[in-house]
Amino acid sequence: MNKYQPKDSFQSPRFCGPRTFMRLPYIEKLDEFMDFVITGIPFDSGQSFRTGSRFGPEAIRDFSILLRPYNPEQDINIFDYISGVDYGDIPVVPGYIAETYDKIEDGLIPIVKQGTIPIVLGGDHSITLGELRAIAKKHGPVALLQFDAHSDTWDSYFEQKYNHGTVFRRAIEEGLLDVSRSIQIGMRGGLYGIEDIEDARNLGLELYTTNQYKRAGVQNMLGVIHQRVGKGTVFLSFDIDFLDPVYAPGTGTPEVAGASIDDALAFVRGLTGINFVGFDLVEVLPAYDHGQITSAAAANIIYEFITLIALQKKKEMDSVSTL
């Protein structure tokens, strides 16, 4: 069986070779042995404040070479159960969001169609609309599980309908999300008005602010998440500004009093058993990331995404072996 896994760092030092996520093989041709692919979408023309997240995929990959295949927190050697590659970056058109959406769809549809799970490195949050369009081609409307400081449900920004602050309103309007199973967690910071929060709820999304999740606690919130998303297909979108700037200074629109990296990892580790069909992590902006703090957080969160896929495959294999 042809399986893809990271290079052995006992045989090849981490500082050797091109930067791929977790030192996975760099392969741009799909085959049946790929349970997941890592792909970058280096687009930041949808950002409204700091720009530079087009360099996020590169920065995340650079730190990810320190990651190892055994996840002790979940007690699993990931690549005993799944196979994955770094698929490179999807081409984008800087400054042209509609054209970039077309390229995102064209790039992701073959991946999704064959049943491989895409894990996307952003880029700003506007890219998620293109991802959801591709995923809907196979799965129809999916539940959204979003960790973010902002709900991204404005109708327009600077009188423009497509940017990183409008992405989920557009996704709902296009019928890409099952809002009855969707949930947003982590909203905080100053607003232009109460409607910035209420609009998301009026669209049918369940929303919890950072203060609400902290009062409830991560474990209680995990119960809420599992109940909300149910057994159907789910897309997980993680904006790195969910984290407090102490843990993620390198981002486009930082908000104080956010989540710790401990809470973020506890959230993701607690998402076992959910039927994920896609992931992204967006808004890493390396120009503001001293000491690779943000890239370290991002790489480790994505590592937990991969672990969730491995745990699900292990569960399926164990179930077959007991028949």
Side-chain angles (χ1 to χ4, degrees):
M1 182 177 180
N2 182 22
K3 295 190 70 173
Y4 302 109
Q5 55 186 304
K7 283 186 177 180
D8 184 348
S9 293
F10 284 113
Q11 302 298 321
S12 171
R14 289 187 176 88
F15 47 81
C16 291
R19 291 292 190 260
T20 62
F21 190 87
M22 209 176 164
R23 307 193 76 202
L24 289 166
Y26 177 41
I27 298 175
E28 292 183 298
K29 184 177 179 180
L30 294 171
D31 68 41
E32 61 183 303
F33 301 109
M34 296 174 183
D35 296 296
F36 72 93
V37 299
I38 300 286
T39 187
I41 304 180
F43 182 81
D44 62 4
S45 299
Q47 284 186 290
S48 58
F49 186 47
R50 296 172 175 170
T51 57
S53 61
R54 68 183 64 183
F55 301 109
E58 177 185 6
I60 295 167
R61 286 180 172 116
D62 187 52
F63 188 87
S64 74
I65 61 171
L66 285 173
L67 299 172
R68 301 171 180 89
Y70 177 69
N71 185 331
E73 299 299 326
Q74 299 282 37
D75 189 23
I76 186 169
N77 195 316
I78 297 168
F79 296 96
D80 285 349
Y81 299 95
I82 59 172
S83 171
V85 304
D86 192 315
Y87 195 63
D89 290 345
I90 291 174
V92 302
V93 186
Y96 294 87
I97 198 165
E99 292 80 359
T100 293
Y101 283 152
D102 290 341
K103 289 186 175 291
I104 293 171
E105 281 194 78
D106 290 345
L108 290 183
I109 284 173
I111 298 169
V112 175
K113 185 178 180 180
Q114 77 165 25
T116 297
I117 297 175
I119 302 176
V120 172
L121 318 179
D124 72 55
H125 220 156
S126 68
I127 66 173
T128 305
L129 183 60
E131 298 171 57
L132 290 170
R133 287 175 178 174
I135 284 171
K137 291 288 197 302
K138 177 178 175 67
H139 298 287
V142 296
L144 171 70
L145 171 55
Q146 178 188 353
F147 295 96
D148 202 327
H150 313 97
S151 67
D152 297 342
T153 51
W154 282 335
D155 182 51
S156 64
Y157 201 57
F158 296 108
E159 299 183 350
Q160 300 300 310
K161 292 286 189 178
Y162 295 94
N163 55 66
H164 73 158
T166 65
V167 57
F168 295 115
R169 181 181 286 268
R170 297 290 91 82
I172 292 168
E173 291 171 349
E174 294 182 21
L176 308 177
L177 297 181
D178 179 352
V179 293
S180 69
R181 296 192 300 113
S182 295
I183 182 168
Q184 301 178 310
I185 299 168
M187 287 71 235
R188 65 186 190 278
L191 305 170
Y192 292 108
I194 188 61
E195 63 274 8
D196 288 353
I197 292 290
E198 292 304 322
D199 280 355
R201 292 177 173 142
N202 291 337
L203 288 166
L205 300 168
E206 191 166 332
L207 182 151
Y208 292 86
T209 66
T210 295
N211 284 337
Q212 287 173 324
Y213 107 64
K214 287 182 176 180
R215 285 196 293 267
V218 172
Q219 291 306 311
N220 287 332
M221 282 305 307
L222 282 167
V224 171
I225 291 168
H226 280 272
Q227 184 174 12
R228 178 70 172 179
V229 303
K231 299 298 182 182
T233 53
V234 181
F235 181 88
L236 195 164
S237 189
F238 197 109
D239 189 322
I240 203 67
D241 69 23
F242 174 73
L243 298 176
D244 189 272
V246 168
Y247 305 98
T251 191
T253 316
E255 304 284 358
V256 300
S260 67
I261 186 61
D262 304 75
D263 278 3
L265 293 174
F267 266 122
V268 180
R269 289 169 182 156
L271 300 175
T272 55
I274 292 177
N275 183 16
F276 289 112
V277 294
F279 301 82
D280 71 14
L281 189 144
V282 297
E283 302 278 356
V284 171
L285 202 167
Y288 290 85
D289 189 24
H290 53 279
Q292 294 185 295
I293 296 170
T294 313
S295 298
N300 278 274
I301 291 165
I302 295 162
Y303 175 72
E304 298 297 337
F305 294 169
I306 298 171
T307 302
L308 291 175
I309 299 170
L311 287 166
Q312 186 63 27
K313 181 59 71 74
K314 181 179 185 296
K315 181 180 178 182
E316 294 167 3
M317 292 170 67
D318 289 347
S319 177
V320 170
S321 67
T322 58
L323 293 178

